[in-house]
Amino acid sequence: MEQRDTLLHLFAGGCGGTVGAIVTCPLEVIKTRLQSSGVSFRAFYVPQVHLGTINGGSVVRPTAVSPGLLQVLKSILEKEGPRSLFRGLGPNLVGVAPSRAIYFAFYSKAKELFNDTFVPNSYPVHMCSAGFAAFITNSLMNPIWMVKTRMQLEKSARGTKQMNAIQCAKHVYKTEGIRGFYRGLTASYAGISETMICFVIYETLKKHLAGLRLSSSSGPVHEKATTDFIALMFAAAISKGCASCIAYPHEVIRTRLREEGSKYRYFFQTARLVAKEEGYLAFYRGLLPQLIRQIPNTAIVLSTYEVIVYLLGSRSK
């Protein structure tokens, strides 16, 4: 029975992650470009800024501004073509199913263990379970995410041949060795806080929704309606949105660490450089496409997971 439940969670988590990755890939590419240090601010000058001089004359200096979501989207479409919006989808599809499967399987197993240690289904249980599952998943999957990020950051003119996932992996190994595949791992560990916050909020909302349904339902409580899954999607969206806003800076640091040939070496060194050279607002570059991507993505992943677990779980009983 335990083995069947584990396989069920593996399958449900994998399906949810795959659907979410395909739907939201273009937004992830835009987000990654915005997070990187390679975004050309010079292409987004605001002209006609007049500055006074000592002799009373004036000079015109362009003022660099941060490019927005639509500007980066337009730049990618014009210079690289629509296919570039799906850069990194290959390793994403290769990695997202096993990563989500591993995550949900370890999360489910950890909840069983921590329920015996803490008050069952309490905040410490959800936080520890989410943190443990995220640590295992990040450690195992970082090489794939590293290749995905490198592919998303690669810029090439429209019509030119771009590296595929295997070529990119070979290039990383040739230039940086095995250690190159684990760049950004420390930032991923820092991002565990986002996962923990997300699941604490999600489980709290889910428990609240279950209580409302129990008090208002006149039919059998074991039967789930379509409205229940819609409510779960909203719960997932709210929880991910809150968590992303709180813990977002680690994503910018992780992207910088994964850039090829960059000056960024370690987590705190990267944080200091970004703050010194670009200001603290730079830690939130790409937040808008991240929220637009992650909120529906998380809603899709978690609701698909819940639906599959419910449907397959109920049929096997």
Side-chain angles (χ1 to χ4, degrees), residues 26 37 48 50 56 93 103 117 123 132 134 145 150 160 165 189 208 225 250 254 257 293 295 304 315:
S37 62
Q48 301 301 317
H50 296 270
L93 291 179
Y103 181 88
T117 305
Y123 287 115
F132 176 74
W145 304 146
R150 280 289 177 85
T160 59
Y189 287 154
H208 181 65
H250 87 273
R254 183 173 61 196
L257 285 169
R293 182 189 79 88
I295 291 177
T304 302
R315 287 180 181 178

Side-chain angles (χ1 to χ4, degrees), residues 35 187 190 194 243-255 267 271 280 282-285 287:
Q35 289 175 342
E194 178 181 337
S244 292
C245 290
I246 294 170
Y248 184 76
H250 87 273
E251 292 226 12
V252 174
I253 296 174
R254 183 173 61 196
T255 297
F267 183 86
Y280 291 103
F283 288 111
Y284 288 90
R285 280 171 53 181
L287 178 59

